[in-house]
Amino acid sequence: MPDAPAASLVERDPRPSPQRLLDDLVPPPHFTAARFETYRPDPSQPTQAEAVEALRDRAGRWSGAKSSSKGGAKGGGGALAKLFGRSGGSGGGGGKEGIYLDGGFGVGKTHLLTSLFHAVDGPASPAAYGTFVEYTNLAGALGFRQAVEALSAKRLVCIDEFELDDPGDTVLMSRLLRELSDAGTALAATSNTLPDALGEGRFAAEDFLREIQAVASRFDVFRVDGEDYRHRGLPTPPAPATDEQVRERAQAAQERGEGAVLDAFDALAGHLATVHPSRYGALLDGVTSVHWTGMRPISDQSVALRLVVLGDRMYDRDLPLVASGAPLDQLFPEELMRGGYRKKYARAVSRLTALAREGATA
């Protein structure tokens, strides 16, 4: 059972079971209603409509009981070649065992990936959905072999926000994707980076080219261009509240019996270092709005990356944010925005700004 809502996040120390991590491999609440029909391609960006058609084609092929492909999948031949075919789909030709959506943040890649999940998932074709971080955390919690066994039972594994942050993740994901492909499990992923450029600027990627190329070789790549839909045509982001306003809003929500949490930004940043990122979703169980005082620019990359993960889990749950201190567009200083994780930080600012707009109008 989820923990009862706490007055602040720093008071919480969730301990989700490995089974909870498996049960959570479904699209987040924010995208519960996402379907191909609800995606609105921008007429000025033809790659968006092309991505929809490519995913519809894959959904048609993958909606059904999974055939066994053991013993014939390596090298793209045998049963895998029969399973996925060598024609159909635009772009890469549909011949590979996975599909990969590459594009900037806010162009609707997650909407499309969750639409694919909903189109395929069913009793005869179960699917799993999670972020890259959630899958690496699952392998750590269950052990690699148990994670492979659990995911191999799926017809489709969807990986949102695919990224290679360090050598360990690179080797682990290369092996995981290979074993899932060998088991006949279909793969779909989204990322802000082309698969053969994963890891650039983050670690000595040239030392792991074999693994990176092995990952890239498993996907047909489709580019999705466009503007960030979260802020298209919207006014300037809301100005930060004062500390007093944040506290008053949090107290009023708590008095109404809502799951509002109030934290000092520095205390929260310190607490996140004691909670594994795989537990950030459970950290937000029962929470309905988030309030921060004293927000300031983060110069420490480890702290910044933890905040990115928390922001993603907040966005998944549509949790309004009310904050005082530095504006959100100053949260990550220039030296971080120029580094290897700049796309992560830009996505986090986009998502937190959307939540702050909700907080300002709640």
Side-chain angles (χ1 to χ4, degrees), residues 18 21 133-144 147 172 276 278:
L21 298 179
V133 172
E134 287 173 313
Y135 286 112
T136 56
N137 291 338
L138 181 71
L142 296 182
F144 182 83
L172 184 149
H276 193 276
S278 65

Side-chain angles (χ1 to χ4, degrees), residues 139-181:
L142 296 182
F144 182 83
R145 182 49 48 196
Q146 290 89 334
V148 169
E149 290 177 1
L151 295 175
S152 294
K154 305 296 184 180
R155 184 68 180 84
L156 167 68
V157 168
C158 298
I159 309 170
D160 200 16
E161 301 160 19
F162 199 108
E163 54 206 354
L164 297 177
D165 286 343
D166 58 56
D169 284 350
T170 301
V171 174
L172 184 149
M173 288 306 294
S174 174
R175 183 182 171 196
L176 177 64
L177 296 183
R178 182 181 70 249
E179 298 216 14
L180 292 180
S181 296

